[in-house]
Structures are given as structure tokens and as C-alpha cells.
């Protein structure tokens, strides 16, 4: 269920809400289920978004630590399978298509899990699949306005005033799983590093995805000015994006060349493996608030997130060398579920200056001269 697809969200709303709540009324009548005495097979689900999946890795590690001997099955969607393959904790990943309810229910039920933990926040269909999973016990989120909490045996409030990782931890506490581990990815080795010949790489990720993505994008002329301020002799600017971004990447590369800056397009063809290796080699990664930003932060790369409608305390980067730049003034940092733009400020990204982003980039890169040697402060 893609957050950016209006068609999918309408289907989830008009089909998911009545279907879920009618069935919950029928199936839950007179039933009060408790956590099973023995958990041999445990299922988990999370949002199909890249960033959400990477943040979910913290909760999955906690589940793995608490259930060391159980088989853990991660129910994934096509959109987040590549990201799920990088996060540790699950024994197996099972692909489901949230837009095909009958097929998805069959696949979930076929796994015969004892417990199913649903870490999605707004999708009614995932709550429906939890209800129909055949699990002995289910848990998930009760999110304001989403009418989904009745799909579980127990539900915890999904809050807008804390980071998503802390929402995941609230769900773990609800079922008495001790939380506390941080997001993590494990990246396979590569025979050859991307852009191996480049000695100084700066990664820019300009484009967001999803609902009204342009409201989370920074003006292109500011990216070019920032590049000029960050450039050193031999710097290569890697402009990352999805294949669908290529039609915008090419004109931007021409603008960079006109400014005397060397820039190349980088669109990975192996999921996120080569991208992860590139991000780890970067002097600094500057990105709008999107999945690539979260990947860079979790990897420990020096990362700057340009937030705008997002807020650090809700969707900011989590990493030892990561910082988020927020829009000054009132009315920004309002996104909660990722599509709640109506009636909100539309100029948040324009309020963020080059100087603000440059200062953050210098802070996280931490490059300084020490006896003629370049040192990275971690």
C-alpha cells in the first residue's frame, strides 16, 4: 500500500474501514485472547516505504533478541523487499500484495504464526490481514482517524509527538518485549566499489516520492549553490535517484556542468546494495527527507536531511553523524503519516537557506586540518 498512491489510499479507506470493523465485530464477539504460552513462529509487518522499513529495523532487532529461538517471518511488500533484505532479524521474508486481499490473506495464513505484530500505522488493510491471519494473538497501532485498532487483540496509540522509532518501541512495550536497539542494516560486500576512481564524493538526493512530493523538495538553484560551496579539487557529486527520476537528473547534470562542477547520475540496479556502498564512501550526503536519507544515516555516513514539512523529532535521521535542518518560522514540520498536507504551509522548503544546509554539512563531515592531514571526526 503506497503512501503516495491516492487510488490505493481511497481503496484502503472505502473498503478497508467497513470490511475491517464489520469482521472485527463478528470475530471478536465474546472473545478475549491472551498472549500464547509458547511462541514458535512470530510474524511482523511494517510499512512498505523504504525509510519506514529502515527505522523498523530497530524493533525487529529487539524482537529477535527477545525471541532468540523462534522463527521470525517478515511479511514484506514489493516496494520494501529490497530494503528488508538489508535489515537483520528475520529468518524469512514472505512477499504479500496489499492490493490483493484474498491472495494476501492466504499467504499470511499459510505461515501459521502464533503471534503477528503489525507495525504499520495507517493502513486498514494490514489490520484486516492481521485479523484474518489465523494467529493466536495480534498487536498493532490505534491511529487517530484511521479506524483500525479493532483489528488487533491489543493496540497502542500511534503518536504524532514522538519519533516513529519510539512509536515502534511503544508497541513492543505493550507486548512486554524490551526495546532499545537502534536501526541497523547489513550490506553485502561488492567486488568493485561504485565510483571507485573518485577520491572525494558528495552525494545529493534531490527528489522525494509519494503524495505531493514537490512540497518536500528544495529549489534546484540552491543545490547548485551548495555544491559550489562544498566543492574541492577533484570532488565528484553523485546525484542519486530512482529510475523514474532520470528525466530530471539529466537536466540537473547539465546545470551542474555549466557551473563548472563535476556531477554524475547514480541509479542503482541491484536494490540498495551499491547505493549503500556509495553512501558509506561519501564525504557528506545531503538529501531531502526520504528513504535514501534514512539509509545514509543508519549506515553512519555524514548525513544532512533537509526537512521542510517534516520534523526532526518525528521523522528526522537517526545516526551518529546525522543532522536534520528544519524550516524556520511557524507552520512547518507538520507531517505525521506522510500524506497530511491539506491546509498546511507550502513554502517550508523555500525557507531553508544554503547557509543553513552548508553549516550542517560542515558539522557532520567534521573535516579539519591537523598537521597537514585530513581527519574525520566521528
Amino acid at each position: 500500500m503506497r503512501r503516495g498512491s491516492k487510488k490505493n489510499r481511497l481503496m484502503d479507506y472505502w473498503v478497508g474501514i467497513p470490511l475491517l470493523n464489520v469482521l472485527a465485530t463478528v470475530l471478536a464477539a465474546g472473545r478475549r485472547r491472551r498472549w500464547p504460552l509458547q511462541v514458535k513462529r512470530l510474524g511482523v509487518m511494517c510499512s512498505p516505504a523504504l525509510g519506514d522499513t529502515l527505522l523498523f529495523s530497530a524493533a525487529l532487532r529487539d524482537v529477535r533478541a527477545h525471541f532468540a529461538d523462534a522463527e521470525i517471518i517478515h511479511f514484506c511488500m514489493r516496494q520494501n523487499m529490497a530494503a528488508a533484505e538489508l535489515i537483520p532479524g528475520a529468518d524469512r521474508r514472505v512477499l504479500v500484495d496489499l492490493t490483493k486481499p484474498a491472495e494476501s490473506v492466504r499467504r499470511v495464513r499459510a505461515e501459521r504464526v502464533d503471534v503477528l505484530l503489525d507495525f504499520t500505522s495507517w493502513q486498514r488493510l494490514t489490520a484486516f490481514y492481521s485479523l484474518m491471519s489465523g494467529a493466536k494473538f495480534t498487536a498493532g497501532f490505534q491511529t487517530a482517524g484511521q479506524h483500525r485498532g479493532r483489528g488487533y487483540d491489543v493496540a497502542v496509540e500511534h503518536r504524532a509527538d514522538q519519533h516513529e522509532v519510539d512509536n515502534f518501541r511503544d508497541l513492543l512495550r505493550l507486548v512486554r518485549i524490551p526495546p532499545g536497539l537502534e536501526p541497523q542494516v547489513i550490506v553485502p560486500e561488492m567486488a568493485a566499489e561504485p565510483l571507485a576512481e573518485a577520491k572525494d564524493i558528495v552525494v545529493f538526493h534531490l527528489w522525494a516520492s509519494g503524495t505531493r512530493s514537490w512540497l518536500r523538495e528544495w529549489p534546484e538553484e540552491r543545490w547548485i549553490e551548495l555544491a559550489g560551496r562544498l566543492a574541492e579539487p577533484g570532488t565528484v557529486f553523485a546525484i542519486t535517484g530512482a529510475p523514474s527520476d532520470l528525466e530530471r537528473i539529466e537536466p540537473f547534470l547539465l546545470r551542474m556542468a555549466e557551473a563548472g562542477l563535476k556531477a554524475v547520475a547514480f541509479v542503482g540496479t541491484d536494490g540498495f546494495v551499491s547505493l549503500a556502498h556509495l553512501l558509506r564512501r561519501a564525504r557528506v550526503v545531503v538529501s531531502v527527507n526520504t528513504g535514501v536519507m534514512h539509509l545514509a544515516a543508519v549506515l553512519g555516513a555524514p548525513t544532512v536531511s533537509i526537512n521542510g514539512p517534516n520534523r526532526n523529532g518525528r521523522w528526522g535521521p537517526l545516526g551518529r553523524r546525522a543532522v536534520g535542518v528544519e524550516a524556520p518560522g511557524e507552520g512547518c514540520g507538520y507531517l505525521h503519516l506522510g500524506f497530511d498536507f491539506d491546509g498546511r504551509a507550502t513554502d517550508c522548503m523555500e525557507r531553508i537557506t544554503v547557509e543553513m544546509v552548508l553549516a550542517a554539512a560542515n558539522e557532520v563531515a567534521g573535516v579539519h586540518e591537523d598537521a597537514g592531514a585530513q581527519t574525520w571526526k566521528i
Side-chain angles (χ1 to χ4, degrees), residues 278-349:
L278 175 71
L279 296 173
R280 288 200 300 199
R281 294 183 58 220
R283 186 205 330 160
V284 65
V285 178
V286 185
S287 173
V288 296
N289 193 302
T290 191
V292 170
M293 175 276 292
H294 286 295
L295 178 59
V298 172
L299 284 166
T303 304
V304 176
S305 174
I306 308 177
N307 287 330
N310 296 94
R311 178 170 51 87
N312 277 329
R314 182 72 185 92
W315 291 108
L318 297 180
R320 67 183 187 275
R321 303 173 71 186
V323 65
V325 178
E326 296 184 316
E330 298 294 326
C332 296
Y334 49 78
L335 282 181
H336 172 38
L337 300 177
F339 50 81
D340 27 4
F341 288 94
D342 289 347
R344 308 292 187 129
T346 60
D347 66 339
C348 295
M349 296 298 279

Side-chain angles (χ1 to χ4, degrees), residues 35 58 103 111 131 193 209 218 227 301 327 343 345 373:
W35 187 274
E103 177 184 322
E111 295 302 320
L131 180 67
E193 291 284 339
S209 61
W218 205 38

Side-chain angles (χ1 to χ4, degrees), residues 264-279:
V264 297
F266 188 88
V267 177
T269 58
D270 57 356
F272 298 108
V273 175
S274 59
L275 174 61
H277 280 266
L278 175 71
L279 296 173

Side-chain angles (χ1 to χ4, degrees), residues 4-81:
S5 171
K6 184 176 181 180
K7 177 182 177 181
N8 286 349
R9 291 203 314 277
L10 287 174
M11 172 187 170
D12 188 70
Y13 185 87
W14 291 108
V15 177
I17 289 178
L19 182 63
L20 170 66
N21 285 278
V22 168
L23 285 172
T25 299
V26 173
L27 297 178
R31 182 186 71 176
R32 181 176 178 81
R33 302 196 307 178
R34 298 181 181 275
W35 187 274
L37 294 176
Q38 189 175 34
V39 178
K40 293 183 178 180
R41 297 164 66 83
L42 189 148
V44 295
M45 285 193 290
C46 69
S47 165
L50 168 59
D52 295 32
T53 303
L54 296 171
L55 295 174
F56 164 69
S57 66
L60 182 54
R61 293 180 67 206
D62 287 322
V63 173
R64 173 82 282 167
H66 192 65
F67 291 98
D69 297 325
E71 182 181 16
I72 298 176
I73 297 103
H74 184 180
F75 296 103
C76 301
M77 301 82 187
R78 177 182 52 81
Q79 299 94 325
N80 73 332
M81 180 61 83

